[in-house]
């Protein structure tokens, strides 16, 4: 399918959501969503960049003349730095009635637009695009599978590279270099490498801490390939596995695999969270699983939509999200195991294939 046909199909899906919500127009400002719906990529920085969608699926792109728009299958409204971009948008006949606005559009544009168009009603409407982006099509799935393949390869290389005297930063930089050697565009978030007690901080930033015998080695890594992301975490042990830490690892692995086994269309995501959380709580570590079970992934490593106790989302074919339970014992260690999973027609397919069981590395 051509890029324009893909974009037009996606716009129609968003328009259907607009009609269900009673919207006449939708302002899309997230550059990734604009690319998704038009095939055009720009990083606008401080300038206004908007795709105005109608409830029929028609679109108008508003872009500064400094931006690059090589081809487009919809009307284009150019403006220069000398123009009042908001006034041009306000004057569009397509902006009328109840207007949805995505959550990324700055107030410096929205507030003047509201003043210039008091006849229109502006409402939050990120969900119109989020729910469509949340279900990946065949092209997106192929790209995410490739990004996850690269992640698998580089995780195995990282574990084989662990050495005595190595610091967290050294291992993180090695992983980032391997991403590019394997064909990725680079990491899609700061690579997390946590040794020993640092693994009790789920979002630890790697530093000069040097690996010691018996330390857990937690690596949370993801790369970007052709705009799409991967994400995976594994926890292993350097030279020896303390019995207490190994037991925690087994509990987390059981919780992760129990949650994955539940994933299929029609299952509430809060039930998937509960499958892992209940397993960890039953083992006596419920207070040490301190975050949601997972997040959606796609063009961004963390996209709207989560697998949590408060999620109202029901699993549907094409969704890709993480399953990443953890146990974090302050001052001691932490264990997290994470895969991305794709919801299929009758279950799910993990996008990652690195062994879940702990291993001894650097021995």
């Amino acid at each position: 399918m051509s890029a324009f046909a893909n974009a037009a199909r996606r716009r129609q899906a968003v328009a259907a959501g607009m009609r269900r919500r009673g919207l006449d127009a939708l302002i899309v400002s997230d550059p990734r969503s604009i690319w998704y719906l038009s095939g055009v990529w720009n990083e606008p920085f401080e300038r206004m960049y908007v795709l105005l969608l109608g409830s029929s699926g028609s679109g108008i792109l508003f872009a500064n003349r400094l931006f690059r728009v090589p081809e487009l299958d919809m009307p284009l409204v150019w403006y220069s730095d000398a123009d009042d971009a908001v006034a041009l948008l306000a004057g569009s006949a397509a902006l009328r009635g109840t207007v949805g606005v995505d959550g990324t559009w700055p107030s410096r544009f929205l507030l003047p637009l509201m003043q210039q168009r008091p006849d229109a009603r502006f409402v939050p409407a990120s969900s119109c695009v989020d729910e469509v982006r949340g279900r990946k099509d065949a092209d997106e799935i192929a790209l995410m599978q490739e990004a996850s393949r690269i992640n698998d390869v580089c995780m195995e290389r990282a574990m084989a590279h662990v050495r005595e005297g190595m610091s967290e930063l050294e291992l993180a930089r090695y992983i980032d270099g391997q991403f590019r050697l394997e064909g990725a565009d680079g990491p899609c978030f700061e690579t997390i490498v946590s040794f020993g007690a640092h693994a009790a901080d789920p979002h630890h930033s790697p530093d000069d801490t040097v690996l010691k015998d018996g330390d857990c080695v937690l690596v949370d890594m993801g790369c970007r390939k052709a705009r799409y992301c991967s994400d995976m975490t594994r926890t292993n042990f350097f030279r020896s596995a303390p019995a207490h830490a190994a037991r925690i690892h087994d509990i987390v692995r059981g919780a992760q695999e129990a949650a994955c086994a539940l994933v299929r269309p029609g299952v509430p995501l809060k039930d998937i969270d509960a499958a892992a959380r209940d397993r960890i709580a039953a083992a006596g570590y419920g207070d040490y699983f301190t975050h949601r079970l997972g997040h959606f992934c796609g063009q961004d490593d963390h996209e709207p939509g989560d697998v949590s106790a408060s999620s109202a989302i029901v699993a549907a074919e094409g969704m890709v999200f993480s399953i990443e339970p953890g146990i974090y014992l302050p001052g001691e260690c932490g264990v997290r195991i994470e895969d991305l999973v794709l919801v299929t027609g009758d279950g799910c397919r993990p996008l990652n294939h690195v062994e879940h069981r702990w291993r001894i590395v650097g021995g």
Side-chain angles (χ1 to χ4, degrees):
M1 184 177 290
S2 72
F4 283 159
N6 245 346
R9 177 182 54 77
R10 293 165 177 170
R11 291 197 300 269
Q12 287 298 328
V14 172
M18 291 171 60
R19 293 192 294 271
R20 288 194 299 271
R21 293 166 174 83
L23 299 180
D24 300 295
L26 175 65
I27 293 172
V28 180
S29 70
D30 177 357
R32 298 194 195 284
S33 292
I34 292 177
W35 172 83
Y36 180 79
L37 297 169
S38 72
V40 174
W41 170 259
N42 283 290
E43 174 52 69
F45 299 104
E46 76 277 11
R47 292 179 171 87
M48 191 187 85
Y49 185 47
V50 159
L51 176 60
L52 180 62
L53 289 180
S55 58
S56 67
S58 60
I60 305 171
L61 186 66
F62 292 77
N64 190 285
R65 290 190 180 278
L66 296 175
F67 298 165
R68 183 173 177 271
V69 184
E71 290 184 83
L72 197 63
D73 66 340
M74 65 181 73
L76 171 62
V77 176
W78 288 112
Y79 72 90
S80 73
D81 284 352
D83 296 323
D84 183 341
V86 172
L88 288 173
L89 177 59
S92 172
L95 196 144
R96 58 186 177 80
T98 300
V99 180
V101 183
D102 74 13
T104 66
W105 207 38
S107 59
R108 68 176 182 272
F109 298 131
L110 175 58
L111 294 177
L113 180 63
M114 293 173 71
Q115 291 175 339
Q116 293 181 40
R117 289 297 305 269
D119 57 308
R121 175 173 174 258
F122 295 89
V123 298
S126 291
S127 58
C128 290
V129 180
D130 293 345
E131 68 181 14
V132 178
R133 280 183 57 179
R135 298 183 66 175
K136 273 51 182 181
D137 59 32
D139 292 342
E140 294 176 290
I141 290 168
L143 291 172
M144 295 194 72
Q145 287 176 320
E146 174 61 9
S148 291
R149 182 199 66 79
I150 293 171
N151 225 24
D152 282 353
V153 168
C154 294
M155 178 67 83
E156 294 287 14
R157 289 179 186 170
M159 291 300 105
H161 188 69
V162 172
R163 296 287 186 275
E164 182 178 7
M166 171 177 284
S167 73
E168 293 172 340
L169 273 172
E170 287 173 324
L171 184 55
R173 288 167 179 162
Y174 173 81
I175 291 166
D176 293 350
Q178 292 303 305
F179 280 149
R180 292 181 172 86
L181 286 175
E182 192 59 24
D185 303 325
C188 58
F189 57 88
E190 181 187 34
T191 299
I192 297 172
V193 174
S194 307
F195 294 160
H198 283 172
D201 175 3
H203 284 166
H204 172 69
S205 290
D207 59 25
D208 292 324
T209 297
V210 174
L211 196 56
K212 304 188 303 296
D213 285 9
D215 275 351
C216 56
V217 179
L218 186 154
V219 176
D220 186 342
M221 54 191 271
C223 67
R224 191 182 301 278
K225 174 68 174 179
R227 299 191 185 278
Y228 282 82
C229 299
S230 59
D231 193 359
M232 174 176 55
T233 306
R234 293 292 185 270
T235 308
N236 291 302
F237 298 98
F238 179 58
R239 288 189 171 167
S240 64
H244 184 50
R247 177 176 178 270
I248 288 171
H249 195 290
D250 291 343
I251 293 166
V252 172
R253 176 171 56 84
Q256 204 271 351
E257 293 174 356
C260 287
L262 191 61
V263 178
R264 62 182 182 277
V267 175
L269 299 193
K270 64 181 180 181
D271 291 355
I272 300 170
D273 178 278
R277 199 167 303 277
D278 292 350
R279 190 89 169 243
I280 290 173
Y285 293 96
D287 291 342
Y288 300 97
F289 178 14
T290 54
H291 54 73
R292 64 190 176 184
L293 181 64
H295 57 82
F296 279 50
C297 187
Q299 290 188 68
D300 294 302
D301 172 53
H302 284 213
E303 291 196 336
D306 67 352
V307 186
S308 71
S310 61
S311 178
I313 301 172
V314 174
E317 187 173 1
M319 290 180 176
V320 177
F321 47 76
S322 67
I323 301 291
E324 49 179 302
I327 294 176
Y328 309 96
L329 302 181
E332 295 184 39
C333 67
V335 172
R336 181 166 65 256
I337 301 172
E338 174 187 16
D339 289 329
L340 291 182
V341 298
L342 165 68
V343 183
T344 63
D346 58 359
C348 80
R349 183 166 74 245
L351 299 188
N352 303 108
H353 305 287
V354 174
E355 174 62 55
H356 289 168
R357 293 179 183 274
W358 61 264
R359 69 180 91 165
I360 298 298
V361 296

